[in-house]
Each structure stands twice: as C-alpha cells, then as structure tokens.
Amino acid sequence: MSHPQPAPASVLTEPWATPRRLELQAAARSFALDEVKPVADEFDPQKREMPRSLIEAMGKRGYFGIMIDEEFGGLGCGVFEYTMISEELARAWMSVASIIARAQGLGTDVGDVERRAALLRRSAAGDWIGAAGFSEPDAGSDLAGVSTRAELDGDTYVVTGEKRWIGNAKAADFIQLLCRTEDPAPGEKRAAGLATLIVEKERDEFPPGLTGTVIDKIGYHGFLTWELHFDGVRVPAANLAGGTDGEGDGSDSGPGSTQAFRDTQKWLNIARVHTAARAVGLARAAVEDCTLYLQEREQFGHPIGDFQALRFMLATMAAKVEQSRTFYRQVADLLDRGEPCARESAMVKLVATEMAVEVTNDSMQLHGGNGYTTERQVERYWRDARLTTIFEGTSQIQQKIIADSLLPRSPLE
C-alpha cells in the first residue's frame, strides 16, 4: 500500500536562488531526513546526547564551517546559506541545527595570526566545537550585568563566578566566556570592563577549578545544558579574544572597553536570524507531519483532511511558515551585505519564533489525542519551538529592541 506524501517543502526561488544554494539546500535536506531524523527519533525521547558519529558526519559535509573562508577549509558562504542549511537540519532535529552554531569560527579570535588560522581550520572541520558562556543566574538578557570575574595574575587570568544555560559545555573543546576584568569607572557604561576569554579544555572533561551541574530541560535534547561554577580557573592571557568593529585598529578591544559587549551584540544579530530559521524548520516539520496525518487518519468514513475546518487550519499554518521563511532570508541577506539590522534581526526572531509556537501547537491539535503522546514527533517540535521564544533574548527583549528603535525615550522623572 502506498503512503500519502506531504506537499513538497519550499525550495529557493528568485531573487535568492543560485545553483550553489540549490545544491546546498538539497544536500542538507537529504542529510537531515535520511541521517539526522532517525537518530532524533531514537535519541530525543531518551534525552541522549547526539552521537559523535553524527557530529563527524556534519563535519565532513562542512556544516561547522559554513561561514568560514575556503582558505581555512570552510564553505566560504554567508549568513544566508548558514540559516538556509539550519532550517533543513532543524526540520529533523533542532539540536543538530544548534550544534553547528558552536563552530563557524567561534573561539578563534586570538591575537596570534598563525594560531588563529589553525583554529579556523579546526573549526571548519568540526574539530573545534565550543560552548558560549554568556548568561548567569542574575544576568540573562542583561549581558551588561555579567559579574563573573577574571583577574590578571601575571600572564594568566583567574576566573571566578557562575554561568547558567551553557549548552554543550562539557563536550566542548572550549568555552567562550564573557566575563568582567574591570569595574566600570564613574560615568562609564555598565558594559565597560567586560572581556571575552577562550577557555580551552578537553572534550568530556572540565579543567581544574570548574565544576558543573546539568540542567534538566523539557526539550532541546541532543546535548546537555549546564550551570557552571568557576573557582580559580586559570586561562592564559593569550586567550583574550580581540577584534574590531570594522572601524578601528583593534586598540579598543582590550579590558576596560565595551568592545566585548559590542562583539557579543553583533554575534547575537546573526544568532537571532539563525534562531528564526530553526523555528521555521520546526514549524515546517509540523506542517509536513500534519499533511500526512490528515490523509491517514479517518473519522466518520472519511480522511479528516476532507473536513474544511481542518483543511483551513493547515492552510493557515503553511502560510505562516512561508511568511517567516521569506522574512529570515531577507534579514540574512541584509547581514551578508553588511547592513546594520539589529532591529530587523529582533523582528524576525520575534515573528518566527512566536509563529513556531502557534503552528506546532496547532499541529498537536490536528493530531488530536495522538498529538499528546510521544508516539508522534509533533510533541517534540512543540517542546523545542517553545524554547525559541526564550533563548537569544526572549520575545519581550526583542519587543524592547524594536520599540527602542522606533520610539525615542522620554527622560525618566
């Protein structure tokens, strides 16, 4: 007996389509459905970490170096291709679309040119996968409020403090750590004195002075999320991340400046579009699964897809997915063009993630009682979609960014 098939997922159309993008998209789609989804269906219900073999397979396909130049072994692509591939991977398992964000040149911004080149090559190959240590128990969206300290002792920083919501921390090759090396002087911005350190470590181990506790989550399985405790962790001063904002010579990248904060904000602009793409992948999965289910499930002598109320629900879900996909592609293109688009990144993150929650919720409703079981994957899509409205800045933080860009603030009395 032949099984009904869902309508084909959207492919790139003008003005974005190029032969290379179409090839990358098709390859990612096949890999996601043929190799990622079977692993997700087995591992996610058990809250197991994704196998190293799957990570190695992603490395061979270049997915850890999508935005790394070809001279360092990367694909030499931009944010557009990065988000496009991420959507395909998230359709199968959001965690796989997330792990690739922990490379892409993260943890390579060191001063020594030769060492940086070597780290970029490792990053592109999937041999330098990290964790991002930004949030703290009392500093989530308020990154300027980071209090983890790094005190310089000779040629070494000594780190003390706590970090929370650090995905992949123990399995990582490094932790990119936002910390405070100085307190802001009177009249300086709160972000002054922040710096970024690259804490090198062995996979599946913590260095001396670092301990961690796993945070039990309702979703987003595939890798573990940690609360970390730094008690005198020593980091070479050479691992202080630097760089410029494209307007200077790097002289404003050391301790006491706001460069680390600005670099983090720029990283978040890309991360928010990446989250929008992951949300679209989850919502698309829900639409495709519902398209099949409405043809399979029969009630009152008919497939339930014959009933207009359900058909219209599915149509609305599909339209919302297409709308958010078009929006994230537009913002990704703006980023690749070097346009300042913090507001647009916040907008697409807000719209796409809230859409994903709505669509995955409706998909559970269309599945009826079966949607509230672990026998179907729609409950996984919903659990993972719910998180997208929280990380990389909650929906309310995105609203604040957008509102602040539209409306001048009156002085507080």
Side-chain angles (χ1 to χ4, degrees):
M1 176 180 177
S2 61
H3 294 283
Q5 296 296 317
S10 176
V11 296
L12 290 176
T13 56
E14 296 293 348
W16 318 118
T18 66
R20 190 182 188 204
R21 284 175 174 171
L22 291 170
E23 182 182 359
L24 287 170
Q25 184 185 41
R29 184 167 295 175
S30 295
F31 174 70
L33 296 179
D34 296 342
E35 299 189 44
V36 176
K37 191 174 182 298
V39 174
D41 293 345
E42 177 185 355
F43 280 48
D44 192 273
Q46 302 173 41
K47 299 184 179 182
R48 290 170 60 186
E49 294 180 83
M50 66 185 71
R52 177 58 57 179
S53 59
L54 184 59
I55 293 174
E56 291 172 351
M58 285 188 282
K60 291 178 181 178
R61 285 163 176 78
Y63 293 157
F64 291 106
I66 299 169
M67 296 190 291
I68 295 176
D69 290 343
E70 291 181 359
E71 66 175 300
F72 302 113
L75 296 183
C77 297
V79 180
F80 191 102
E81 290 82 3
Y82 172 51
T83 53
M84 178 190 71
I85 291 171
S86 295
E87 179 195 330
E88 298 301 330
L89 298 178
R91 188 267 172 261
W93 201 8
M94 189 176 75
S95 299
V96 167
S98 300
I99 195 71
I100 65 171
R102 287 154 176 81
Q104 311 301 332
L106 186 73
T108 65
D109 195 12
V110 295
D112 183 82
V113 175
E114 291 185 0
R115 184 177 175 222
R116 185 171 190 271
L119 290 177
L120 280 169
R121 292 188 185 94
R122 290 183 62 188
S123 183
D127 190 37
W128 183 247
I129 302 172
F134 299 148
S135 297
E136 297 182 1
D138 296 320
S141 298
D142 181 19
L143 291 179
V146 162
S147 62
T148 295
R149 304 288 303 198
E151 301 286 348
L152 190 60
D153 179 20
D155 60 357
T156 304
Y157 282 100
V158 181
V159 181
T160 305
E162 295 182 34
K163 290 290 181 180
R164 186 167 170 81
W165 304 116
I166 315 303
N168 198 50
K170 194 169 186 178
D173 299 299
F174 67 93
I175 301 170
Q176 182 149 317
L177 190 72
L178 185 66
C179 52
R180 183 166 294 283
T181 56
E182 297 177 358
D183 291 318
E188 285 187 321
K189 294 181 179 179
R190 290 190 307 133
L194 292 178
T196 302
L197 290 176
I198 300 167
V199 183
E200 294 185 69
K201 55 179 290 299
E202 296 293 327
R203 286 181 183 174
D204 302 318
E205 295 181 14
F206 286 137
L210 179 59
T211 57
T213 304
V214 175
I215 300 172
D216 190 19
K217 312 182 299 289
I218 64 171
Y220 200 37
H221 305 309
F223 52 80
L224 302 179
T225 301
W226 295 81
E227 180 167 324
L228 301 179
H229 304 269
F230 294 81
D231 185 13
V233 177
R234 302 188 73 86
V235 182
N239 282 19
L240 177 70
T244 71
D245 57 8
E247 300 175 355
D249 59 3
S251 59
D252 188 34
S253 62
S257 76
T258 59
Q259 184 68 39
F261 181 77
R262 297 199 304 271
D263 287 344
T264 302
Q265 294 285 50
K266 286 185 176 182
W267 181 86
L268 282 171
N269 286 340
I270 296 176
R272 285 165 180 157
V273 186
H274 176 235
T275 296
R278 288 181 287 173
V280 168
L282 289 167
R284 190 185 106 206
V287 169
E288 291 179 356
D289 282 15
C290 283
T291 302
L292 289 175
Y293 188 75
L294 293 182
Q295 297 173 77
E296 294 172 354
R297 174 70 167 165
E298 292 189 1
Q299 290 286 276
F300 309 105
H302 293 274
I304 60 175
D306 287 350
F307 299 110
Q308 181 169 288
L310 306 190
R311 295 172 70 87
F312 282 10
M313 279 183 68
L314 181 66
T316 301
M317 291 160 59
K320 290 178 178 179
V321 172
E322 292 293 336
Q323 181 185 46
S324 290
R325 177 185 292 112
T326 299
F327 194 6
Y328 92 64
R329 288 178 179 171
Q330 176 187 7
V331 181
D333 183 64
L334 289 173
L335 286 168
D336 284 336
R337 293 173 185 268
E339 298 288 343
C341 52
R343 177 174 68 185
E344 290 78 8
S345 295
M347 284 179 171
V348 73
K349 201 271 188 185
L350 172 66
V351 170
T353 60
E354 292 291 341
M355 175 278 299
V357 171
E358 294 173 6
V359 168
T360 55
N361 185 68
D362 286 346
S363 74
M364 292 179 70
Q365 189 71 20
L366 286 176
H367 276 74
N370 289 329
Y372 201 66
T373 71
T374 57
E375 298 169 359
R376 301 274 176 162
Q377 283 74 52
V378 289
E379 58 87 25
R380 178 172 85 226
Y381 309 149
W382 178 86
R383 285 187 285 108
D384 287 350
R386 189 64 187 84
L387 179 60
T388 66
T389 67
I390 297 172
F391 62 9
E392 318 298 8
T394 64
S395 292
Q396 289 67 40
I397 288 295
Q398 309 313 313
Q399 290 171 327
K400 179 183 183 301
I401 293 170
I402 298 163
D404 288 351
S405 73
L406 297 172
L407 295 170
R409 282 189 171 275
S410 301
L412 297 177
E413 297 180 1

